[in-house]
Amino acid sequence: MAVRHHDKHVFPELATSVSQLTLCALTAERAAEYHALVDRNRDHLTQHGDYQELAASDYKTAHAELLNDPSPSLRCGVLLHGTLIGRVDLVAVDPPKYGLGYWLDHEATGQGYATAACRALIGYGAAVLGATDVFAGVTHGNGKSSTVLHRLGFQVAEVFETYTRYHRALVSSPRACPA
């Protein structure tokens, strides 16, 4: 488990709404499994022009990344029946504002796993980290990823040349008092 050194917080294995689909801290102990997942998904990861650096990485690079403590961000493996099928991250951009990133093995898409994994991590971020806002970017043409965000309650915040930024407020804003 990853330890956030500044508060000694240990990230638990998180259950999701899908049976046998869980999240765990993605650490160097899973480097071989993670690299194999990346390796068999190189075309899938780059089909929309993103994840180029990840797809080009070798085992040594993957292992080195997983050795680094991501605190205060969360780097999670998505496990189905204990097997790594993807990754979901909650990135501490400007806490309590976070970024969300995710991808799944090409054979695991279309089954609700990304939605369930992201929902569980966002809920954890709100409850434990005090996250108030989550943002995510989706490369144009990646309709499946946009669909995941819409299911999670995200709204389009801004459209750029190559991607769309989505936002979800996790807490209600205070209402203006009538004058």
Side-chain angles (χ1 to χ4, degrees):
M1 297 294 163
V3 175
R4 294 176 55 211
H5 298 288
H6 64 278
D7 64 3
K8 302 297 182 205
H9 175 78
V10 177
F11 184 80
E13 186 160 321
L14 283 183
T16 70
S17 59
V18 175
S19 178
Q20 299 298 311
L21 185 77
T22 59
L23 302 180
C24 70
L26 186 56
T27 61
E29 289 78 22
R30 289 195 177 265
E33 189 178 10
Y34 179 64
H35 179 258
L37 179 66
V38 169
D39 194 43
R40 71 176 173 266
N41 281 283
R42 291 184 195 283
D43 290 339
H44 173 64
L45 287 167
T46 58
Q47 66 183 324
H48 300 292
D50 43 5
Y51 289 112
Q52 299 290 331
E53 189 175 324
L54 176 61
S57 67
D58 56 13
Y59 172 80
K60 184 178 176 183
T61 304
H63 185 257
E65 177 192 3
L66 299 183
L67 280 173
N68 292 328
D69 181 354
S71 293
S73 299
L74 299 175
R75 178 181 59 225
C76 301
V78 180
L79 306 174
L80 182 62
H81 301 286
T83 300
L84 188 65
I85 63 162
R87 176 175 172 172
V88 61
D89 293 5
L90 201 54
V91 181
V93 177
D94 184 17
K97 296 176 182 169
Y98 288 79
L100 178 70
Y102 53 93
W103 64 269
L104 293 179
D105 184 301
H106 69 282
E107 292 181 4
T109 62
Q111 299 176 61
Y113 299 151
T115 301
C118 289
R119 182 174 287 122
L121 190 58
I122 291 168
Y124 181 86
V128 177
L129 303 178
T132 60
D133 294 87
V134 179
F135 294 86
V138 176
T139 304
H140 296 315
N142 189 350
K144 289 181 179 183
S145 195
S146 294
T147 299
V148 167
L149 293 175
H150 285 295
R151 283 186 191 128
L152 293 167
F154 282 76
Q155 302 292 322
V156 172
E158 197 166 355
V159 177
F160 297 97
E161 185 178 337
T162 59
Y163 73 98
T164 300
R165 178 180 296 144
Y166 290 82
H167 171 252
R168 178 173 167 205
L170 301 179
V171 293
S172 301
S173 8
R175 296 182 185 199
C177 296

